[in-house]
Amino acid sequence: KKAEAPPTVHGLNLRMLGDAYMALGQFEESRESLNRGIGYNETAEKNPQLPEFLLKDVQTRLADLYAALGELERKTEKFKESLRALRKAVDYFEKLEQ
C-alpha cells in the first residue's frame, strides 16, 4: 500500500516551493504553488472525519499559506488581493488563538 502524506506536509512543501519561486521573481509560479497548498488544506479542513489534532495542523498551515500569499500579493502590488489573503490568515490565527 502506498503511503500518503497528510495535507499539511503537501502544504509545507508547496509553501517552500512558493518561497523559492518568489525569491527568483517567478511570481505567477509562486502564486500557483501557494494556491495549490491552500486547496489541499481547505479540502482537508472540510473532511468531517479529520481528527481534531490534524484539523489544528491544517488550520495552522492555512494561516501560514494565506500569510505567504498576502506577502506575495503585496510584493506584486496587488494590494486588494494582499489584504484579502492577510485577513484570511488573521481569521485562522484567531481561530487558533495564536
Side-chain angles (χ1 to χ4, degrees), residues 55-78:
L55 176 62
K56 297 288 185 195
D57 285 350
V58 163
Q59 291 171 335
T60 300
R61 180 59 51 213
L62 281 165
D64 175 60
L65 286 161
Y66 275 118
L69 183 60
E71 174 59 20
L72 169 68
E73 301 299 15
R74 184 201 60 77
K75 190 170 188 163
T76 57
E77 299 183 357
K78 295 184 176 187

Side-chain angles (χ1 to χ4, degrees), residues 6-92:
T8 53
V9 172
H10 291 296
L12 176 60
N13 290 336
L14 289 164
R15 163 67 196 266
M16 292 169 51
L17 183 60
D19 288 349
Y21 280 133
M22 192 179 342
L24 293 170
Q26 297 177 345
F27 302 121
E28 190 55 39
E29 291 84 352
S30 178
R31 187 175 292 109
E32 288 173 15
S33 294
L34 295 171
N35 280 320
R36 280 184 60 204
I38 289 168
Y40 280 128
N41 284 276
E42 283 183 338
T43 298
E45 183 184 32
K46 295 173 188 170
N47 180 351
Q49 296 176 336
L50 192 68
E52 183 66 25
F53 77 92
L54 193 51
L55 176 62
K56 297 288 185 195
D57 285 350
V58 163
Q59 291 171 335
T60 300
R61 180 59 51 213
L62 281 165
D64 175 60
L65 286 161
Y66 275 118
L69 183 60
E71 174 59 20
L72 169 68
E73 301 299 15
R74 184 201 60 77
K75 190 170 188 163
T76 57
E77 299 183 357
K78 295 184 176 187
F79 299 115
K80 285 184 181 179
E81 291 86 347
S82 176
L83 284 172
R84 226 175 272 127
L86 291 170
R87 284 182 184 128
K88 287 184 179 184
V90 168
D91 287 346
Y92 276 107

